[in-house]
Amino acid sequence: MPLSNAGRSMRFVRQFDCHEAAIRAYVRRLIPSRIDADDVVQEVAVVLWEKLDDFDEEGNFRSWAFSIARFKALAWIRDKGRQNMVLDMDVVSTLADEAERDESDLERQRHALRSCLKKLPAEQRRLVANAYHRDARMEDLAASSGRSAAGFYQWLYRTRQILLECIQRQLASEANK
């Protein structure tokens, strides 16, 4: 039974929301500037939406989105190449292939990170998340945590080490299953 427009919209939003971080990470590996990568991801979203009726419901949305992201990124690089970009298209194509191969490992790492972050106390989780926010000012975060800037950087370093060890243990545990 064909989906209504509302059902179609909800299907797209759910799928895109689920895979947006991976799509963005994939594009960021191919496009040097965060702003340009954001523009390419927006173009990818538009194409995905426009071609949603062509997507097989039983298919892999992430793979489909990656193939569109790849073409959009390569088109962006080709267009920038006319403006004396440095990388050859063959190099970029190789990078795209490697990014696709690495994606499953990266997704497992992201999943492990989310799991490990949940193990931190809420206040620690909030501070870590805020430290990686695009507009973060470490001095403000340090003050809000009651630490000096140097003390906050040290705390953040130790917290990242704790998260790294947790991620490594979780990935090792998954590998032994």
Side-chain angles (χ1 to χ4, degrees):
M1 180 169 122
L3 288 175
S4 66
N5 282 340
R8 180 177 181 256
S9 297
M10 287 305 297
R11 181 182 70 179
F12 175 78
V13 169
R14 275 194 299 274
Q15 288 286 344
F16 188 76
D17 187 53
C18 179
H19 299 289
E20 182 182 11
I23 296 165
R24 187 170 303 282
Y26 176 74
V27 170
R28 276 291 289 138
R29 284 181 263 162
L30 301 175
I31 305 294
S33 157
R34 182 180 305 273
I35 292 170
D36 291 331
D38 288 345
D39 290 345
V40 170
V41 171
Q42 286 179 359
E43 290 179 31
V44 169
V46 168
V47 171
L48 290 170
W49 173 254
E50 289 172 345
K51 295 186 177 281
L52 188 59
D53 288 336
D54 297 339
F55 176 65
D56 176 11
E57 195 69 33
E58 302 300 316
N60 184 327
F61 186 89
R62 181 187 297 234
S63 294
W64 180 60
F66 273 29
S67 66
I68 291 172
R70 178 186 185 126
F71 287 117
K72 282 295 181 184
L74 291 174
W76 182 90
I77 291 165
R78 182 197 63 230
D79 293 345
K80 289 294 178 179
R82 295 181 188 130
Q83 301 170 12
N84 298 325
M85 281 286 292
V86 185
L87 292 178
D88 181 71
M89 289 300 282
D90 290 338
V91 172
V92 174
S93 185
T94 300
L95 289 172
D97 291 342
E98 289 177 9
E100 284 182 53
R101 279 194 305 274
D102 294 344
E103 182 53 35
S104 63
D105 289 338
L106 292 172
E107 183 57 31
R108 282 195 305 280
Q109 291 170 3
R110 282 190 290 268
H111 181 1
L113 173 60
R114 284 189 294 270
S115 174
C116 292
L117 280 167
K118 287 178 184 175
K119 294 176 184 177
L120 293 177
E123 180 61 14
Q124 267 189 299
R125 249 191 338 265
R126 183 189 69 77
L127 285 171
V128 169
N130 288 342
Y132 288 95
H133 190 270
R134 181 177 287 174
D135 300 324
R137 290 183 28 94
M138 291 300 159
E139 297 80 16
D140 295 341
L141 290 172
S144 76
S145 73
R147 296 176 178 87
S148 67
F152 184 77
Y153 277 110
Q154 186 62 34
W155 171 85
L156 188 58
Y157 172 79
R158 285 193 304 268
T159 303
R160 284 193 308 243
Q161 289 303 115
I162 289 167
L163 288 170
L164 177 62
E165 291 167 8
C166 176
I167 290 166
Q168 289 171 336
R169 280 192 308 273
Q170 186 166 331
L171 293 174
S173 171
E174 290 172 6
N176 290 332
K177 287 184 180 179

